[in-house]
Amino acid sequence: MPNIGGPSASKRKLLGTVVSSKLLYASASWAEVATRTARNRESMCRAQIQVALRIIRAYWTVSTDGALFLASIIPADLKALERKRVADRIDEQGREDSVAMIKLQERSITVGAWQARWDGLKNSRWTHTLLPSVYRWMRRPVFPLTYHMTQALTENGCFRQYLNCMNRSPDASCCYCSFAEDTAEHMIFVCP
């Protein structure tokens, strides 16, 4: 799928749910064992990153965590553990909460764990600076991320500093005001 044009954001998201469903099939039975090792968690994320990059129309250089965040895709290891907790609570004897309430409570725990992970990341700092709250991002009004909006939110794209790192520009200076580093922050907040 191309970054500019192609299927709409809702169609891209729909295809993402298909991948997620296949990835997390019967996860309640294997979640605890599979998510113990970093290698397994990384394997699950590799499947998700391809989908996330297509949903948000981003370059492959966007970090996994940033892409999953912008696409509002809960990391697979956290989602698998959530499904395990839900299944365990539903199977409990004498439970008082409805299934919907249990799912809501467990989703809250998952979003809290994702927030802790998001706050502790060393990559995606620009995106975290602009969008620090996982909960607020997931509750935002639905609007599709465009190709250029994703570049501004990830700092990967048409900025000369990024292009210079990718050997696509002779220098990192701003074309408009000759500032030394043309970054997303400079372009959006400083450049006249």
Side-chain angles (χ1 to χ4, degrees), residues 43-106:
S43 292
M44 293 189 317
C45 278
R46 269 195 302 271
Q48 287 186 301
I49 185 64
Q50 298 300 319
V51 172
L53 290 174
R54 296 293 39 99
I55 290 172
I56 65 172
R57 302 170 186 261
Y59 291 123
W60 61 270
T61 53
V62 173
S63 73
T64 299
D65 299 303
L68 291 177
F69 177 85
L70 290 176
S72 298
I73 297 174
I74 297 172
D77 61 315
L78 296 178
K79 185 85 172 197
L81 290 171
E82 174 187 318
R83 288 185 177 186
K84 169 72 172 144
R85 291 191 312 267
V86 167
D88 289 347
R89 285 186 60 192
I90 289 173
D91 291 344
E92 283 178 0
Q93 295 289 333
R95 65 179 171 85
E96 296 177 12
D97 294 332
S98 67
V99 172
M101 184 57 73
I102 290 171
K103 287 181 178 182
L104 189 63
Q105 291 167 349
E106 294 303 329

Coordinates of all heavy atoms in Angstrom, one line a residue, residues 43-106:
S43 N 9.3 -11.0 18.1 CA 8.7 -11.7 16.9 C 7.3 -11.3 16.7 O 6.8 -11.1 15.6 CB 8.8 -13.2 17.1 OG 10.1 -13.7 17.0
M44 N 6.6 -11.2 17.8 CA 5.2 -10.7 17.7 C 5.1 -9.3 17.2 O 4.3 -8.9 16.4 CB 4.5 -10.9 19.1 CG 4.3 -12.3 19.5 SD 3.3 -12.7 20.9 CE 3.7 -11.6 22.1
C45 N 6.1 -8.4 17.7 CA 6.1 -7.0 17.3 C 6.4 -6.9 15.8 O 6.0 -6.0 15.1 CB 7.0 -6.2 18.1 SG 6.3 -5.7 19.7
R46 N 7.3 -7.8 15.3 CA 7.6 -7.7 13.8 C 6.4 -7.9 12.9 O 6.3 -7.2 11.9 CB 8.7 -8.8 13.5 CG 10.1 -8.3 13.6 CD 11.1 -9.3 12.9 NE 11.0 -10.6 13.4 CZ 11.7 -11.1 14.5 NH1 12.5 -10.3 15.1 NH2 11.6 -12.4 14.8
A47 N 5.5 -8.7 13.3 CA 4.3 -8.8 12.6 C 3.4 -7.6 12.7 O 2.8 -7.1 11.7 CB 3.4 -10.0 13.0
Q48 N 3.4 -7.0 13.8 CA 2.6 -5.8 14.1 C 3.2 -4.5 13.4 O 2.4 -3.7 12.9 CB 2.4 -5.5 15.5 CG 1.5 -6.4 16.2 CD 1.3 -6.0 17.7 OE1 2.2 -5.9 18.4 NE2 0.0 -5.7 18.0
I49 N 4.5 -4.4 13.3 CA 5.1 -3.2 12.8 C 4.8 -3.0 11.3 O 4.5 -1.9 10.9 CB 6.6 -3.2 13.0 CG1 7.2 -1.8 12.6 CG2 7.3 -4.3 12.3 CD1 6.8 -0.6 13.4
Q50 N 4.7 -4.1 10.6 CA 4.4 -3.9 9.1 C 3.0 -3.3 9.0 O 2.8 -2.5 8.1 CB 4.5 -5.3 8.5 CG 5.8 -5.9 8.5 CD 6.9 -5.0 7.8 OE1 6.6 -4.4 6.7 NE2 8.0 -4.9 8.3
V51 N 2.1 -3.8 9.8 CA 0.7 -3.3 9.7 C 0.6 -1.9 10.2 O 0.0 -1.0 9.5 CB -0.2 -4.2 10.6 CG1 -1.6 -3.6 10.7 CG2 -0.3 -5.6 10.0
A52 N 1.3 -1.6 11.3 CA 1.2 -0.2 11.9 C 1.8 0.8 10.9 O 1.2 1.9 10.7 CB 2.0 -0.2 13.2
L53 N 2.9 0.5 10.2 CA 3.5 1.4 9.3 C 2.6 1.7 8.1 O 2.5 2.8 7.6 CB 4.8 0.8 8.7 CG 6.0 0.8 9.7 CD1 7.2 0.1 9.1 CD2 6.4 2.2 10.2
R54 N 1.8 0.7 7.6 CA 0.9 0.9 6.5 C -0.3 1.7 7.0 O -0.8 2.5 6.3 CB 0.4 -0.5 6.0 CG 1.5 -1.3 5.3 CD 2.2 -0.7 4.0 NE 2.4 0.7 3.9 CZ 3.6 1.2 4.0 NH1 4.7 0.5 4.4 NH2 3.8 2.5 3.8
I55 N -0.8 1.5 8.2 CA -1.9 2.2 8.7 C -1.6 3.7 8.9 O -2.4 4.6 8.5 CB -2.4 1.7 10.1 CG1 -3.0 0.3 9.9 CG2 -3.4 2.6 10.8 CD1 -3.4 -0.4 11.2
I56 N -0.4 4.0 9.4 CA -0.1 5.4 9.6 C 0.7 6.1 8.4 O 1.0 7.2 8.5 CB 0.7 5.6 10.9 CG1 2.1 4.9 10.8 CG2 0.0 5.2 12.1 CD1 3.0 5.2 12.0
R57 N 0.9 5.3 7.4 CA 1.5 5.8 6.2 C 2.9 6.3 6.4 O 3.3 7.4 6.1 CB 0.7 6.8 5.5 CG -0.7 6.4 5.1 CD -1.6 7.6 4.7 NE -2.9 7.1 4.5 CZ -3.4 6.9 3.3 NH1 -2.7 7.0 2.2 NH2 -4.7 6.5 3.2
A58 N 3.8 5.5 7.1 CA 5.1 5.9 7.5 C 6.2 5.2 6.8 O 6.0 4.1 6.3 CB 5.2 5.7 9.1
Y59 N 7.4 5.8 7.0 CA 8.6 5.1 6.5 C 9.0 4.0 7.4 O 8.7 4.0 8.6 CB 9.8 6.1 6.4 CG 9.6 7.2 5.4 CD1 9.6 8.5 5.7 CD2 9.5 6.9 4.0 CE1 9.5 9.5 4.8 CE2 9.4 7.8 3.1 CZ 9.4 9.2 3.4 OH 9.3 10.1 2.5
W60 N 9.8 3.1 6.9 CA 10.2 1.9 7.7 C 11.2 2.3 8.8 O 11.5 1.5 9.7 CB 10.9 0.9 6.8 CG 12.1 1.4 6.1 CD1 12.2 2.0 4.8 CD2 13.5 1.4 6.5 NE1 13.5 2.3 4.5 CE2 14.3 2.0 5.6 CE3 14.1 0.9 7.7 CZ2 15.7 2.1 5.7 CZ3 15.5 1.1 7.9 CH2 16.2 1.7 6.9
T61 N 11.7 3.6 8.8 CA 12.6 4.0 9.8 C 11.9 4.4 11.1 O 12.6 4.7 12.1 CB 13.5 5.2 9.3 OG1 12.6 6.2 8.8 CG2 14.4 4.7 8.2
V62 N 10.6 4.5 11.1 CA 9.9 4.9 12.3 C 10.0 3.7 13.3 O 9.9 2.5 12.9 CB 8.4 5.1 12.0 CG1 7.6 5.3 13.2 CG2 8.3 6.4 11.1
S63 N 10.2 4.0 14.5 CA 10.4 2.9 15.5 C 9.1 2.1 15.7 O 8.0 2.6 15.5 CB 10.8 3.5 16.9 OG 9.7 4.2 17.5
T64 N 9.3 0.9 16.1 CA 8.2 0.0 16.4 C 7.2 0.6 17.4 O 6.0 0.6 17.1 CB 8.7 -1.4 16.9 OG1 9.5 -1.9 15.9 CG2 7.5 -2.3 17.2
D65 N 7.8 1.1 18.5 CA 6.9 1.6 19.5 C 6.1 2.9 19.0 O 5.0 3.0 19.3 CB 7.7 2.0 20.8 CG 8.4 0.8 21.3 OD1 7.7 -0.2 21.6 OD2 9.7 0.8 21.4
G66 N 6.8 3.7 18.3 CA 6.1 4.9 17.8 C 5.0 4.6 16.8 O 4.0 5.2 16.8
A67 N 5.3 3.6 15.9 CA 4.3 3.2 14.9 C 3.1 2.6 15.6 O 2.0 2.9 15.2 CB 5.0 2.3 13.9
L68 N 3.4 1.7 16.5 CA 2.2 1.0 17.2 C 1.4 2.1 18.0 O 0.2 2.0 18.0 CB 2.7 0.0 18.2 CG 3.4 -1.3 17.6 CD1 3.9 -2.2 18.6 CD2 2.4 -2.0 16.7
F69 N 2.1 3.0 18.6 CA 1.4 4.1 19.3 C 0.5 4.9 18.4 O -0.7 5.0 18.6 CB 2.4 5.0 20.0 CG 1.7 6.1 20.7 CD1 1.2 6.0 22.0 CD2 1.6 7.4 20.1 CE1 0.6 7.0 22.7 CE2 1.0 8.4 20.8 CZ 0.5 8.3 22.1
L70 N 1.0 5.4 17.3 CA 0.3 6.2 16.4 C -0.9 5.4 15.7 O -1.9 6.0 15.4 CB 1.2 6.8 15.3 CG 2.1 7.9 15.8 CD1 3.1 8.4 14.7 CD2 1.4 9.1 16.4
A71 N -0.7 4.1 15.5 CA -1.7 3.3 14.9 C -2.7 2.8 15.9 O -3.7 2.2 15.6 CB -1.1 2.1 14.2
S72 N -2.5 3.2 17.2 CA -3.4 2.7 18.3 C -3.5 1.2 18.3 O -4.5 0.7 18.6 CB -4.7 3.4 18.2 OG -4.6 4.8 18.3
I73 N -2.4 0.5 18.1 CA -2.3 -0.9 18.2 C -1.6 -1.3 19.4 O -0.4 -1.0 19.6 CB -1.6 -1.5 16.9 CG1 -2.3 -1.2 15.7 CG2 -1.4 -3.0 17.1 CD1 -1.6 -1.7 14.4
I74 N -2.3 -1.9 20.3 CA -1.7 -2.4 21.6 C -0.6 -3.4 21.3 O -0.9 -4.4 20.5 CB -2.7 -3.0 22.6 CG1 -3.7 -1.9 22.9 CG2 -2.1 -3.5 23.8 CD1 -4.9 -2.4 23.7
P75 N 0.6 -3.3 21.8 CA 1.6 -4.3 21.6 C 1.1 -5.7 21.9 O 0.3 -6.0 22.8 CB 2.7 -4.0 22.6 CG 2.6 -2.5 22.8 CD 1.1 -2.3 22.7
A76 N 1.4 -6.7 21.0 CA 0.9 -8.0 21.0 C 1.1 -8.7 22.4 O 0.2 -9.5 22.8 CB 1.4 -8.9 19.9
D77 N 2.2 -8.5 23.0 CA 2.5 -9.2 24.3 C 1.6 -8.7 25.3 O 1.0 -9.5 26.1 CB 4.0 -9.1 24.7 CG 4.4 -7.7 24.9 OD1 4.1 -6.8 24.0 OD2 5.1 -7.4 25.9
L78 N 1.3 -7.4 25.4 CA 0.4 -6.9 26.4 C -1.1 -7.3 26.1 O -1.8 -7.7 27.0 CB 0.4 -5.4 26.4 CG 1.8 -4.7 26.8 CD1 1.7 -3.2 26.7 CD2 2.1 -5.2 28.2
K79 N -1.4 -7.4 24.8 CA -2.8 -7.8 24.4 C -3.0 -9.3 24.8 O -4.1 -9.7 25.2 CB -3.0 -7.5 22.9 CG -4.3 -7.8 22.4 CD -5.3 -6.7 22.6 CE -6.6 -7.0 21.9 NZ -7.4 -5.9 21.7
A80 N -2.0 -10.1 24.5 CA -2.1 -11.5 24.8 C -2.3 -11.8 26.3 O -3.1 -12.6 26.8 CB -0.9 -12.3 24.3
L81 N -1.5 -11.0 27.1 CA -1.6 -11.2 28.6 C -3.0 -10.7 29.1 O -3.6 -11.3 30.0 CB -0.5 -10.4 29.3 CG 0.9 -11.0 29.1 CD1 2.0 -10.1 29.7 CD2 0.9 -12.4 29.8
E82 N -3.5 -9.6 28.4 CA -4.8 -9.1 28.8 C -5.9 -10.2 28.5 O -6.8 -10.5 29.3 CB -5.2 -7.9 27.9 CG -6.6 -7.4 28.1 CD -7.0 -6.3 27.2 OE1 -6.1 -5.4 26.9 OE2 -8.1 -6.3 26.6
R83 N -5.8 -10.9 27.3 CA -6.8 -11.9 27.0 C -6.7 -13.1 28.0 O -7.7 -13.7 28.4 CB -6.5 -12.4 25.6 CG -7.0 -11.4 24.6 CD -6.8 -12.0 23.2 NE -7.4 -11.0 22.2 CZ -7.5 -11.2 20.9 NH1 -7.1 -12.4 20.4 NH2 -7.9 -10.3 20.1
K84 N -5.5 -13.4 28.5 CA -5.3 -14.5 29.5 C -5.9 -14.1 30.8 O -6.7 -14.9 31.4 CB -3.8 -14.7 29.7 CG -3.4 -15.6 30.8 CD -3.8 -17.0 30.6 CE -3.2 -17.9 31.7 NZ -4.1 -19.0 32.0
R85 N -5.7 -12.8 31.2 CA -6.4 -12.4 32.5 C -7.9 -12.4 32.4 O -8.6 -12.8 33.3 CB -5.9 -11.0 32.8 CG -4.4 -10.9 33.2 CD -4.0 -9.5 33.8 NE -4.5 -8.4 33.0 CZ -3.7 -7.8 32.1 NH1 -2.5 -8.2 31.8 NH2 -4.2 -6.8 31.4
V86 N -8.4 -11.9 31.2 CA -9.9 -12.0 31.0 C -10.4 -13.4 31.1 O -11.4 -13.6 31.8 CB -10.2 -11.3 29.7 CG1 -11.7 -11.6 29.3 CG2 -10.0 -9.8 29.7
A87 N -9.7 -14.3 30.4 CA -10.2 -15.7 30.4 C -10.2 -16.3 31.8 O -11.1 -17.0 32.3 CB -9.3 -16.5 29.5
D88 N -9.1 -16.0 32.6 CA -9.0 -16.5 33.9 C -10.1 -15.9 34.8 O -10.7 -16.6 35.6 CB -7.6 -16.1 34.5 CG -6.5 -16.9 33.9 OD1 -6.8 -17.9 33.2 OD2 -5.3 -16.5 34.1
R89 N -10.4 -14.6 34.7 CA -11.4 -14.0 35.5 C -12.8 -14.5 35.1 O -13.7 -14.7 36.0 CB -11.4 -12.5 35.4 CG -10.2 -11.9 36.2 CD -10.2 -10.5 36.3 NE -11.4 -9.9 36.9 CZ -11.7 -8.6 36.9 NH1 -11.0 -7.8 36.2 NH2 -12.8 -8.2 37.5
I90 N -13.1 -14.8 33.9 CA -14.4 -15.3 33.5 C -14.6 -16.7 34.0 O -15.7 -17.1 34.4 CB -14.5 -15.2 31.9 CG1 -14.6 -13.8 31.5 CG2 -15.7 -16.1 31.4 CD1 -14.6 -13.6 30.0
D91 N -13.5 -17.5 34.0 CA -13.6 -18.9 34.5 C -13.7 -19.0 36.0 O -13.9 -20.1 36.5 CB -12.3 -19.7 34.0 CG -12.4 -19.9 32.5 OD1 -13.4 -19.7 31.9 OD2 -11.3 -20.2 32.0
E92 N -13.4 -17.9 36.8 CA -13.5 -18.0 38.2 C -14.9 -18.3 38.7 O -15.9 -18.0 38.1 CB -13.2 -16.6 38.8 CG -11.7 -16.2 38.8 CD -11.5 -14.8 39.4 OE1 -12.4 -14.1 39.8 OE2 -10.3 -14.4 39.4
Q93 N -14.9 -19.1 39.8 CA -16.1 -19.4 40.5 C -16.6 -18.2 41.3 O -15.9 -17.5 41.9 CB -15.9 -20.6 41.4 CG -15.5 -21.9 40.8 CD -16.7 -22.5 40.0 OE1 -17.8 -22.2 40.3 NE2 -16.4 -23.2 38.9
G94 N -17.9 -18.0 41.2 CA -18.5 -16.9 42.0 C -18.2 -15.5 41.6 O -18.2 -14.6 42.5
R95 N -17.8 -15.3 40.4 CA -17.5 -13.9 40.0 C -18.8 -13.0 40.0 O -19.9 -13.5 39.7 CB -16.8 -13.9 38.6 CG -17.7 -14.4 37.5 CD -16.9 -14.3 36.2 NE -17.7 -15.0 35.1 CZ -18.6 -14.4 34.4 NH1 -18.9 -13.1 34.6 NH2 -19.2 -15.0 33.4
E96 N -18.6 -11.8 40.3 CA -19.7 -10.9 40.4 C -19.8 -9.9 39.2 O -20.9 -9.4 38.9 CB -19.6 -10.1 41.7 CG -19.7 -11.0 42.9 CD -19.6 -10.2 44.2 OE1 -19.6 -8.9 44.2 OE2 -19.4 -10.8 45.3
D97 N -18.7 -9.7 38.5 CA -18.7 -8.7 37.4 C -19.2 -9.4 36.1 O -19.0 -10.6 35.9 CB -17.3 -8.2 37.2 CG -16.8 -7.3 38.4 OD1 -17.7 -6.7 39.1 OD2 -15.6 -7.3 38.6
S98 N -19.8 -8.5 35.3 CA -20.2 -9.0 34.0 C -18.9 -9.2 33.1 O -17.8 -8.6 33.4 CB -21.1 -8.1 33.3 OG -20.5 -6.8 33.0
V99 N -19.0 -9.9 32.0 CA -17.9 -10.1 31.1 C -17.4 -8.7 30.5 O -16.2 -8.5 30.4 CB -18.3 -11.0 29.9 CG1 -17.2 -11.1 28.9 CG2 -18.6 -12.4 30.5
A100 N -18.4 -7.9 30.2 CA -18.0 -6.5 29.7 C -17.2 -5.7 30.7 O -16.3 -5.0 30.3 CB -19.3 -5.8 29.3
M101 N -17.6 -5.8 32.0 CA -16.9 -5.1 33.0 C -15.5 -5.7 33.2 O -14.6 -4.9 33.4 CB -17.7 -5.2 34.3 CG -17.1 -4.4 35.5 SD -16.9 -2.6 35.1 CE -18.5 -2.1 35.2
I102 N -15.4 -7.0 33.2 CA -14.1 -7.6 33.3 C -13.2 -7.1 32.2 O -12.0 -6.8 32.4 CB -14.2 -9.1 33.3 CG1 -14.9 -9.6 34.6 CG2 -12.9 -9.8 33.1 CD1 -15.3 -11.1 34.6
K103 N -13.7 -7.1 30.9 CA -12.9 -6.7 29.8 C -12.5 -5.3 29.9 O -11.3 -4.9 29.6 CB -13.7 -6.9 28.5 CG -13.8 -8.4 28.1 CD -14.5 -8.5 26.8 CE -14.6 -10.0 26.4 NZ -15.3 -10.2 25.1
L104 N -13.4 -4.4 30.4 CA -13.1 -3.0 30.6 C -12.0 -2.8 31.6 O -11.0 -2.0 31.5 CB -14.3 -2.3 31.0 CG -14.3 -0.7 31.0 CD1 -14.0 -0.2 29.6 CD2 -15.6 -0.2 31.5
Q105 N -12.1 -3.5 32.7 CA -11.1 -3.4 33.8 C -9.7 -3.9 33.3 O -8.7 -3.3 33.6 CB -11.5 -4.2 35.0 CG -12.7 -3.6 35.7 CD -13.4 -4.6 36.8 OE1 -13.1 -5.8 36.8 NE2 -14.3 -4.0 37.6
E106 N -9.7 -5.0 32.6 CA -8.4 -5.6 32.1 C -7.8 -4.7 31.1 O -6.6 -4.5 31.0 CB -8.6 -7.0 31.6 CG -9.0 -8.0 32.7 CD -8.0 -8.0 33.9 OE1 -6.7 -7.8 33.6 OE2 -8.4 -8.3 35.0

